């Protein structure tokens, strides 16, 4: 049966004896080839986490090569001039080192997690992957096939399908409207030569940020990173992308309806918001938590608990280099589409008509600060945030400033 999809516009560390570890402040350096390095010592455990960000991602792609960052990242660890993919995997497992890759809209990344004992070996393997990948023809075809399978899986997932359509409706021809994993047409079009060109253009010092948090000495780590990645060309900084500018058309766009074989309907309603650098960014994050994060949010209580209208309901506002968006979503019965759409719009309007109470605002702030503390408990997440904020031009200092704001 075809159903409708509708769119609109404290980290605490304790030392033996109950002595609290003094929190170290991050420090920023520049390697000789212009790689930005952020280091934060944490001697409360024996783990070192490293994040390597590249100013790449779907923001810097076009319809023709959509998904190329995703493919490049997955291939970067599938064989080098010195190691096969199997040898790399075996050495990582033998030494208890974890390396992962990712691609997103505003960046691509590699992450490494190791103990202090095995960090040197992990860094050697990571450096090998970054400095001399071979992009074997057979591996390229394998990753393309896996990407096509993932695209199919995303299209079969109600939320993912809806989200893709929502982004395209919102951003139009802007690169933020592209899927990180690409499209079936673009993935089939991408060649090994295109992937090598993408790697050569983006894996350069001026487009890279490395953040490390853990049990190490700062000066020694600087030298290790210089040895591991200093051989990369400095290259040219990533050119700014034309920011998305919402059109000067009507305030409310007509509903866009997509029909798909589903057992339920799904609604996503949203509008453009500021980038991470916008003066309203923190206030909008508070608004998002108030509206749709968790079982104490307004959408959950008013539309799901009190009226029983939705199977799932929530809101989200991604942190982006350029124009972001605020979106509310609901999974619901097809019979409730109109009433649920009106319900979401009513909740959004209610913010304009009456400000949240002091009690409600305090609850939301405590929820955000609690989630912040839990999310920063481990070295890996601390390293991720420091590097990520630096990559999207907020500066690593914003990680601490956000909590204060």
């Amino acid at each position: 049966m075809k159903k409708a999809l509708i769119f609109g516009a404290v980290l605490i560390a304790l030392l033996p004896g109950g002595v609290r570890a003094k929190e170290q402040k991050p420090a920023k350096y520049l390697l000789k080839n212009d790689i930005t390095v952020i280091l934060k010592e944490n001697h409360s455990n024996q783990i070192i986490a490293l994040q390597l960000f590249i100013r790449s991602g779907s923001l810097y792609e076009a319809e023709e090569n959509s998904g190329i960052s995703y493919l490049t990242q997955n291939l970067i660890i599938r064989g080098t001039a010195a190691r096969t993919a199997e040898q790399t995997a075996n050495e990582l497992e033998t030494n208890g080192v974890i390396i992962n890759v990712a691609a997103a809209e505003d960046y691509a990344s590699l992450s490494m997690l190791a103990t202090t004992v095995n960090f040197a070996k992990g860094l050697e393997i990571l450096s090998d992957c970054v400095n001399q990948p071979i992009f074997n023809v057979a591996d390229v075809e394998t990753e393309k096939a896996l990407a096509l399978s993932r695209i199919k899986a995303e299209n079969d997932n109600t939320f993912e399908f809806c989200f893709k359509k929502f982004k395209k409706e919102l951003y139009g021809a802007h690169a933020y409207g592209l899927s990180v994993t690409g499209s079936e047409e673009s993935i089939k079009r991408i060649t090994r030569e295109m992937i090598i060109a993408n790697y050569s253009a983006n894996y350069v010092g001026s487009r890279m940020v490395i953040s490390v948090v853990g049990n190490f000495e700062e000066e020694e780590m600087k030298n290790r990173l210089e040895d591991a990645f200093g051989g990369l060309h400095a290259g040219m900084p990533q050119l700014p992308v034309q920011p998305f500018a919402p059109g000067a058309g009507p305030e409310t766009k007509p509903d866009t309806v997509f029909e798909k074989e589903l057992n339920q309907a799904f609604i996503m309603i949203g509008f453009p918001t500021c980038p991470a650098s916008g003066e309203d960014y923190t206030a909008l994050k508070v608004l998002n938590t108030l509206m749709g994060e968790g079982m104490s949010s307004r959408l959950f209580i008013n539309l799901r608990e009190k009226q029983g209208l939705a199977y799932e309901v929530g809101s989200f506002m991604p942190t982006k280099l350029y124009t972001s968006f605020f979106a509310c979503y609901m999974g619901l019965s097809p019979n409730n589409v109109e009433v649920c759409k009106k319900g979401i719009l009513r909740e959004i309007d209610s913010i304009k008509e009456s400000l949240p109470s002091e009690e409600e605002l305090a609850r939301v702030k405590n929820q955000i600060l609690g989630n912040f503390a839990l999310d920063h408990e481990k070295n890996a997440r601390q390293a991720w945030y420091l590097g990520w904020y630096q990559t999207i031009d907020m500066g690593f200092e914003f990680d601490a400033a956000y909590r204060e704001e």
Side-chain angles (χ1 to χ4, degrees), residues 3 9 31 41 63 77 143 214 258-259 284 315 329 374 377:
K3 306 301 178 187
L31 299 187
E41 295 182 26
E63 290 277 3
I77 56 174
E143 286 301 327
F258 295 89
E259 292 188 343
L284 285 165
S315 69
Y329 64 88
L374 292 172
E377 185 178 7

Side-chain angles (χ1 to χ4, degrees), residues 152-223:
K152 183 181 184 304
E154 289 174 347
N155 291 336
D156 288 339
N157 179 283
T158 306
F159 181 90
E160 291 291 343
F161 179 82
C162 192
F163 182 48
K164 282 185 178 183
K165 298 297 185 182
F166 172 82
K167 285 206 308 177
K168 196 64 180 175
E169 287 295 311
L170 179 67
Y171 288 111
H174 190 271
Y176 271 163
L178 298 174
S179 169
V180 172
T181 50
S183 66
E184 183 177 345
E185 295 76 19
S186 65
I187 292 297
K188 289 179 178 179
R189 189 184 299 121
I190 293 172
T191 65
R192 176 177 182 267
E193 289 71 27
M194 292 168 67
I195 291 170
I196 292 173
N198 181 69
Y199 162 81
S200 300
N202 290 302
Y203 273 73
V204 295
S206 58
R207 300 187 185 186
M208 299 174 75
V209 174
I210 298 175
S211 52
V212 191
V213 175
N215 194 344
F216 57 82
E217 297 299 328
E218 202 171 281
E219 196 63 34
E220 180 185 3
M221 182 59 69
K222 283 169 56 182
N223 294 332

Side-chain angles (χ1 to χ4, degrees), residues 121-134:
K121 186 63 177 179
L123 186 61
E124 176 201 328
I125 297 171
L126 181 66
S127 173
D128 186 32
C129 292
V130 170
N131 282 283
Q132 49 181 1
I134 57 174

Side-chain angles (χ1 to χ4, degrees), residues 142-389:
T142 297
E143 286 301 327
K144 288 175 65 174
L146 291 172
L148 291 172
S149 296
R150 175 160 181 173
I151 291 170
K152 183 181 184 304
E154 289 174 347
N155 291 336
D156 288 339
N157 179 283
T158 306
F159 181 90
E160 291 291 343
F161 179 82
C162 192
F163 182 48
K164 282 185 178 183
K165 298 297 185 182
F166 172 82
K167 285 206 308 177
K168 196 64 180 175
E169 287 295 311
L170 179 67
Y171 288 111
H174 190 271
Y176 271 163
L178 298 174
S179 169
V180 172
T181 50
S183 66
E184 183 177 345
E185 295 76 19
S186 65
I187 292 297
K188 289 179 178 179
R189 189 184 299 121
I190 293 172
T191 65
R192 176 177 182 267
E193 289 71 27
M194 292 168 67
I195 291 170
I196 292 173
N198 181 69
Y199 162 81
S200 300
N202 290 302
Y203 273 73
V204 295
S206 58
R207 300 187 185 186
M208 299 174 75
V209 174
I210 298 175
S211 52
V212 191
V213 175
N215 194 344
F216 57 82
E217 297 299 328
E218 202 171 281
E219 196 63 34
E220 180 185 3
M221 182 59 69
K222 283 169 56 182
N223 294 332
R224 283 184 166 185
L225 296 177
E226 189 74 64
D227 291 341
F229 304 107
L232 291 167
H233 294 296
M236 295 294 292
Q238 187 65 270
L239 295 175
V241 173
Q242 182 68 31
F244 170 74
E251 290 187 6
T252 303
K253 294 177 64 176
D255 293 340
T256 304
V257 180
F258 295 89
E259 292 188 343
K260 189 176 176 65
E261 294 289 341
L262 296 170
N263 294 320
Q264 65 173 8
F266 206 91
I267 297 175
M268 196 169 287
I269 299 174
F271 50 84
T273 58
C274 64
S277 59
E279 61 180 12
D280 294 329
Y281 170 76
T282 305
L284 285 165
K285 281 294 190 181
V286 173
L287 171 64
N288 175 60
T289 304
L290 172 72
M291 287 292 294
E293 287 202 355
M295 292 186 292
S296 59
S297 66
R298 290 188 176 187
L299 289 173
F300 189 91
I301 291 175
N302 293 335
L303 300 184
R304 187 181 187 278
E305 290 297 285
K306 291 183 177 180
Q307 300 184 58
L309 293 175
Y311 304 118
E312 60 176 313
V313 62
S315 69
F316 58 107
M317 193 194 99
T319 299
K320 292 178 179 288
L321 175 61
Y322 297 118
T323 302
S324 185
F325 59 84
F326 173 81
C328 302
Y329 64 88
M330 290 183 72
L332 61 149
S333 166
N335 298 325
N336 291 331
V337 168
E338 283 302 317
V339 67
C340 285
K341 185 181 74 171
K342 291 177 181 178
I344 290 176
L345 295 175
R346 183 170 58 250
E347 292 300 324
I348 294 174
D349 287 339
S350 71
I351 296 294
K352 296 185 293 184
E353 296 167 359
S354 60
L355 295 175
S357 67
E358 290 296 327
E359 181 182 358
E360 189 177 27
L361 191 58
R363 177 193 63 75
V364 170
K365 287 182 177 180
N366 286 335
Q367 180 180 343
I368 293 173
L369 291 174
N371 290 338
F372 180 96
L374 292 172
D375 200 20
H376 284 68
E377 185 178 7
K378 296 184 178 180
N379 292 348
R381 293 301 290 167
Q382 293 180 46
W384 191 87
Y385 278 107
L386 291 171
W388 178 49
Y389 283 131

Side-chain angles (χ1 to χ4, degrees), residues 40-145:
K40 181 183 177 184
E41 295 182 26
N42 177 9
H43 300 286
S44 66
N45 58 61
Q46 299 301 308
I47 302 298
I48 300 177
L50 182 151
Q51 291 281 344
L52 190 156
F53 286 88
I54 306 99
R55 289 184 175 93
S56 179
S58 59
L59 174 62
Y60 306 98
E61 298 172 359
E63 290 277 3
E64 294 72 24
N65 67 345
S66 176
I68 196 167
S69 299
Y70 175 80
L71 286 176
T72 302
Q73 290 307 105
N74 283 297
L75 284 161
I76 207 82
I77 56 174
R78 286 186 63 90
T80 71
R83 292 176 172 89
T84 64
E86 184 178 356
Q87 288 172 327
T88 298
N90 287 339
E91 286 191 59
L92 290 173
E93 290 178 0
T94 300
N95 289 278
V97 177
I98 299 173
I99 292 179
N100 286 313
V101 297
E105 293 173 320
D106 294 324
Y107 67 88
S109 69
L110 295 95
S111 63
M112 187 186 81
L113 196 64
T115 63
T116 52
V117 174
N118 295 323
F119 179 79
K121 186 63 177 179
L123 186 61
E124 176 201 328
I125 297 171
L126 181 66
S127 173
D128 186 32
C129 292
V130 170
N131 282 283
Q132 49 181 1
I134 57 174
F135 302 113
N136 181 279
V137 175
D139 290 334
V140 170
E141 294 306 312
T142 297
E143 286 301 327
K144 288 175 65 174

